[in-house]
Amino acid sequence: MKRLFALYVTLISLFGCALFLYIWPFSSVHVEEQWLLLLLFAGTVALLDRYLICLPPSGNSFTLESSIYLSLLFVFGLKYTLTVLMLGSFIVYFTHLRKMVWWKHVFNFSVYAIMICGSYYVYTIFGGGVGEISLKYFWAYIFCFLTYFILNAVLMALYFSLHSSTDFIVVLISTVKEVSYIYAVTLVVAIILSILFKFDSLFGLFLYTIIMLLLSSTFRQYSRLYEKLEDDKVYIEQLLNSLPIGLITIDNSKSNHFINDSAATLLRLSKKEIKQLIEQEKESGYNALFWGLFIRRDPFRQVKVPYERNGEKKIFLVSQSNLLNLYGEHIGRTIFFLDITEIEELTKRIHQSEKLAAVGEMAAKAAHEIRNPLAVIHGFLSFMNENMAQSDREQYHIPLLLKEIDRINAIVEDMLLIAKPSAPMLKETYMETIVQDLLSLLQHTLEAKHIRVHVRLDRVLLRLDPKQMMQMLYNLLHNSIESIEENGTIRIYSDIDETYNMYVYDSGKGIPQDMQATMFEPFMTTKPSGTGLGLTIVKRIVENHGGTIALHDSSEKGTTFVIKLPIGR
């Protein structure tokens, strides 16, 4: 393909050069003046080639040197025009020696030669005359211009299609759309130039050159200003899109909306969908409280509204302020909103914690006061149990009373442990040792319910309080035994990364989904006779050791808790 293109360029170049060598534009009279004017025309062409008229965006520019060629055709004819083309091409080549390879200069010369020759012959065919500017040549001007434009579009489309995989027709259509308005200006300028050249060639050339240089400078500055504004706009948009706050601006005069990325993310909608909902300007039946705020024109601050999308519920804090221009005129509104769902949940939990703390303090005082009368009641009931006859003990339910007193005392002890936990007495020990000691105590219960226990723990020295850890494990295993009821399995195993991770699994019925989020809170239980303090005590003990406990997995097939304890503490 490249070889074919090189051959194509060479043939066009030879054709252009042959046309030039075949003719000679000068007469024997006033040769010096003709050469001076010729060089001035060529210099102007080279100057316009250098000082382009830049249009935003960056890289979009054009030159009106074609208007000089067309006006020279109308006033001086083909020979003169080709001579200016040749001299101008040499000047451009030597001034752009390091910016463009030689064959591209030859190609440009050849393209212009074909366009000039083709348009000139069409001009003469339709009755156009050289050296005279008149309305009677109107159609000749039009068809000359169309020929010049069509030849340029076809040759440029062929050039770009040979250097890319794009189809020739596609490139041609794109080229026509891109340069049609430029050539419309070129035709008008060429007619004006022809009139100027007819009356005074030097004055017309001087005036045209000055105007083109001023236009080039003006449009270059305008293009730079436009690019700077575009860069600032992109920077500001990137800055606004990086904010974690949803931001929507509504321009009343232009019905133009800016929606940042966070707004689309928070609302779970595309920017197009958001714009459509805003432009409706009526309360939507879905999330009516939120979209109703967009109807309001007055500023407001920090309005809490609920929002739901795809089953996910959120709470937004919404504010609105006026959008002003440089002159302080009100031109629109700015609405910004923040997702405060987690903050609201945290606030509720803080309030709940404060209530629980107050209740715990009261419970601790009450439990401390209850222990003394309980001890007295328990003592008298024990005395009666030892000294009364069996029939009297059964009649007055003395054993049952003693059992319930012991249960009350256990609840009191748990409440005191939660309210005022004692600091752990740490010493180096193995978790496996604590587990084995506890299983020895629970062996009878496990055998009675046919529950199998598998232990596989890594033997790592940990700094623990054995008594508190045994109580923590007892509460967990007690819950597991009650969940299994009979014929089940308990597995206790571990792994090590940055912490010592111990997993406690039971094959019980699992924890209900609605209880999983609050299972560590006090008095949360599904058991008819449970106090709901077991897991609360477990969590408090683990946290006192600098660790964490979490529900690893729970389903109808079983439940697994994971306890993470620090190593080398």
Side-chain angles (χ1 to χ4, degrees):
M1 185 65 68
K2 288 184 179 180
R3 291 181 180 179
L4 288 174
F5 179 70
L7 178 61
Y8 165 74
V9 172
T10 303
L11 290 174
I12 293 178
S13 303
L14 292 175
F15 175 74
C17 292
L19 284 174
F20 174 74
L21 293 175
Y22 176 73
I23 60 179
W24 184 252
F26 304 124
S27 64
S28 59
V29 183
H30 304 298
V31 175
E32 294 81 1
E33 294 181 6
Q34 293 184 39
W35 266 110
L36 176 62
L37 187 59
L38 195 68
L39 290 174
L40 287 175
F41 279 121
T44 301
V45 168
L47 199 63
L48 294 181
D49 184 78
R50 181 176 181 83
Y51 290 92
L52 304 175
I53 297 178
C54 301
L55 295 177
S58 179
N60 189 13
S61 60
F62 67 95
T63 176
L64 290 176
E65 59 182 304
S66 291
S67 61
I68 295 181
Y69 295 139
L70 288 172
S71 61
L72 289 176
L73 275 178
F74 301 149
V75 177
F76 297 100
L78 178 62
K79 299 177 181 181
Y80 204 94
T81 307
L82 287 176
T83 306
V84 172
L85 172 64
M86 175 64 79
L87 293 176
S89 297
F90 276 114
I91 295 174
V92 171
Y93 173 72
F94 286 109
T95 55
H96 294 73
L97 195 58
R98 296 183 179 179
K99 297 182 180 179
M100 190 183 296
V101 294
W102 67 270
W103 65 266
K104 289 188 178 180
H105 285 283
V106 176
F107 174 75
N108 287 337
F109 166 77
S110 305
V111 168
Y112 274 113
I114 291 176
M115 291 159 53
I116 291 170
C117 292
S119 58
Y120 175 77
Y121 290 125
V122 170
Y123 178 68
T124 56
I125 289 172
F126 281 88
V130 175
E132 182 182 359
I133 306 301
S134 175
L135 283 176
K136 63 182 180 180
Y137 301 143
F138 174 79
W139 291 111
Y141 296 143
I142 296 297
F143 283 105
C144 173
F145 160 73
L146 289 175
T147 304
Y148 193 91
F149 170 68
I150 291 171
L151 286 174
N152 179 256
V154 171
L155 292 173
M156 295 307 298
L158 181 62
Y159 172 82
F160 287 113
S161 63
L162 287 174
H163 280 74
S164 66
S165 58
T166 311
D167 186 67
F168 170 76
I169 300 299
V170 175
V171 178
L172 180 61
I173 294 173
S174 176
T175 304
V176 170
K177 289 180 179 179
E178 185 174 343
V179 300
S180 58
Y181 75 95
I182 297 175
Y183 274 96
V185 175
T186 301
L187 176 62
V188 175
V189 174
I191 299 297
I192 296 173
L193 262 180
S194 300
I195 298 172
L196 290 173
F197 289 164
K198 180 63 178 174
F199 289 101
D200 192 329
S201 299
L202 286 176
F203 174 75
L205 185 61
F206 174 77
L207 181 62
Y208 177 73
T209 305
I210 294 298
I211 292 174
M212 288 299 107
L213 291 178
L214 289 174
L215 284 175
S216 176
S217 176
T218 302
F219 275 97
R220 194 181 298 271
Q221 293 179 9
Y222 168 72
S223 182
R224 289 173 183 169
L225 179 61
Y226 179 87
E227 290 172 12
K228 185 178 183 304
L229 291 175
E230 281 295 309
D231 291 340
D232 292 343
K233 180 182 177 183
V234 171
Y235 174 78
I236 293 172
E237 287 185 357
Q238 289 178 346
L239 184 64
L240 294 176
N241 284 328
S242 66
L243 294 175
I245 300 173
L247 181 67
I248 299 175
T249 62
I250 303 173
D251 191 334
N252 293 335
S253 61
K254 299 179 181 177
S255 298
N256 187 26
H257 309 317
F258 172 77
I259 303 168
N260 72 343
D261 293 343
S262 296
T265 302
L266 290 172
L267 298 178
R268 298 290 192 271
L269 295 168
S270 67
K271 293 183 179 180
K272 183 178 180 181
E273 291 173 329
I274 296 173
K275 186 176 180 180
Q276 290 174 348
L277 288 170
I278 294 172
E279 290 176 346
Q280 289 177 0
E281 290 199 349
K282 61 181 181 179
E283 293 190 7
S284 173
Y286 193 65
N287 293 313
L289 291 177
F290 178 79
W291 295 112
L293 295 176
F294 286 80
I295 302 175
R296 295 176 57 176
R297 294 294 189 269
D298 57 309
F300 56 84
R301 294 180 62 83
Q302 299 182 352
V303 177
K304 290 183 183 179
V305 291
Y307 183 86
E308 183 177 354
R309 179 72 178 176
N310 299 329
E312 184 179 4
K313 296 182 179 179
K314 293 180 179 290
I315 299 176
F316 290 146
L317 191 65
V318 188
S319 299
Q320 178 172 275
S321 60
N322 291 329
L323 182 64
L324 307 177
N325 61 12
L326 292 174
Y327 307 103
E329 299 172 345
H330 180 218
I331 60 171
R333 297 170 288 146
T334 300
I335 298 174
F336 47 94
F337 52 94
L338 179 67
D339 184 2
I340 59 169
T341 308
E342 293 183 2
I343 297 176
E344 287 291 300
E345 292 294 330
L346 182 60
T347 303
K348 290 180 181 179
R349 292 179 64 181
I350 291 174
H351 290 163
Q352 182 70 13
S353 298
E354 291 175 350
K355 292 178 182 178
L356 290 174
V359 172
E361 186 176 353
M362 294 174 58
K365 293 178 181 179
H368 184 73
E369 296 298 326
I370 290 172
R371 292 178 70 181
N372 292 331
L374 275 179
V376 174
I377 295 172
H378 189 275
F380 276 105
L381 287 174
S382 298
F383 178 79
M384 293 171 64
N385 188 53
E386 292 175 358
N387 293 282
M388 292 178 67
Q390 179 67 27
S391 59
D392 293 334
R393 290 199 300 268
E394 292 178 357
Q395 180 181 356
Y396 295 106
H397 304 287
I398 299 300
L400 178 61
L401 291 175
L402 284 171
K403 183 178 179 181
E404 291 302 311
I405 290 294
D406 289 336
R407 183 168 176 267
I408 293 173
N409 196 49
I411 293 173
V412 170
E413 290 292 335
D414 287 344
M415 291 175 66
L416 285 173
L417 180 62
I418 293 173
K420 294 183 179 180
S422 59
M425 305 295 293
L426 302 177
K427 67 176 184 179
E428 290 189 343
T429 184
Y430 295 102
M431 181 62 74
E432 186 180 13
T433 303
I434 298 174
V435 171
Q436 293 297 342
D437 291 344
L438 178 61
L439 292 178
S440 299
L441 297 176
L442 296 174
Q443 183 178 0
H444 177 72
T445 303
L446 294 169
E447 290 178 352
K449 290 193 172 186
H450 306 288
I451 297 174
R452 299 171 297 280
V453 180
H454 304 284
V455 179
R456 183 183 60 79
L457 293 171
D458 295 285
R459 196 166 178 80
V460 178
L461 271 176
L462 302 172
R463 290 184 59 77
L464 307 171
D465 184 329
K467 182 179 179 181
Q468 289 190 10
M469 277 293 145
M470 183 171 289
Q471 182 180 3
M472 180 271 294
L473 287 171
Y474 173 82
N475 287 349
L476 273 182
L477 294 180
H478 181 73
N479 287 346
S480 297
I481 291 169
E482 289 189 346
S483 177
I484 293 173
E485 295 180 354
E486 286 191 13
N487 294 321
T489 303
I490 295 176
R491 284 199 290 269
I492 305 173
Y493 57 96
S494 68
D495 61 39
I496 300 172
D497 44 36
E498 295 180 355
T499 58
Y500 184 88
N501 307 320
M502 181 173 68
Y503 301 86
V504 179
Y505 162 81
D506 66 70
S507 59
K509 55 188 177 182
I511 300 173
Q513 185 72 28
D514 58 340
M515 291 289 296
Q516 293 180 9
T518 58
M519 62 185 173
F520 290 108
E521 294 182 6
F523 310 112
M524 301 299 295
T525 182
T526 58
K527 303 171 187 175
S529 60
T531 63
L533 296 174
L535 287 178
T536 307
I537 294 171
V538 167
K539 184 177 182 182
R540 181 64 60 88
I541 292 174
V542 172
E543 289 177 349
N544 284 347
H545 283 75
T548 60
I549 181 171
L551 181 65
H552 184 68
D553 182 51
S554 184
S555 64
E556 295 179 356
K557 297 181 180 179
T559 300
T560 304
F561 285 94
V562 56
I563 302 164
K564 297 186 177 184
L565 297 169
I567 300 174
R569 182 178 172 186

